Structure formats: C-alpha cells, structure tokens
Amino acid sequence: MRDENDRSWPISIISTANNQRHFLGSGWKNFKASNKVEDGCRCDFQFVVDKANVAKELLVRAVRRIE
C-alpha cells in the first residue's frame, strides 16, 4: 500500500470463506498510525493493475475530517 507522499507499507488482504468480502489485515494499523487516520476520516483507495488486470499496488489517500 502506498500513500500520496509515496511512502509504502506492506499489507495483507484477508478474504471471507466465500470470497465475497475482503479486509485489510496486517500493515493497516501501521498505515493508520503514520497517516493519523482516525474515526471520521475518509480513505480513498485506488488499485494499480498491470496489463493482465492483476492488482499490484493499492494507493490510498487519507482525507481528514474537517471540524
């Protein structure tokens, strides 16, 4: 996973048994802490795919809640 400042974090993707839902696993906590993501923040995700349509990277932009 890579942020808008080109910093990267290795993450795992966890899938449910029926492969219907997917979750960010290990690495997500480190990303959240480094980018100060907290309740009320929005994260925009973009998969970067190769010519074979395989996702090789996940770009994430954290948008902080305006109070």
Side-chain angles (χ1 to χ4, degrees), residues 19-40:
N19 221 16
Q20 295 276 327
R21 298 184 77 180
H22 308 282
F23 303 91
L24 298 176
S26 64
W28 174 244
K29 278 185 174 182
N30 293 334
F31 176 86
K32 280 179 40 178
S34 296
N35 287 280
K36 298 179 176 79
V37 175
E38 51 192 37
D39 286 347

Side-chain angles (χ1 to χ4, degrees), residues 5-19:
N5 297 314
D6 211 29
R7 297 178 298 172
S8 61
W9 293 261
I11 62 164
S12 62
I13 305 291
I14 301 165
S15 300
T16 58
N18 59 7
N19 221 16

Side-chain angles (χ1 to χ4, degrees), residues 35-44 61-66:
N35 287 280
K36 298 179 176 79
V37 175
E38 51 192 37
D39 286 347
C41 291
R42 184 184 84 221
C43 291
D44 298 325
R61 180 174 177 251
V63 180
R64 290 181 212 349
R65 176 179 51 184
I66 299 173

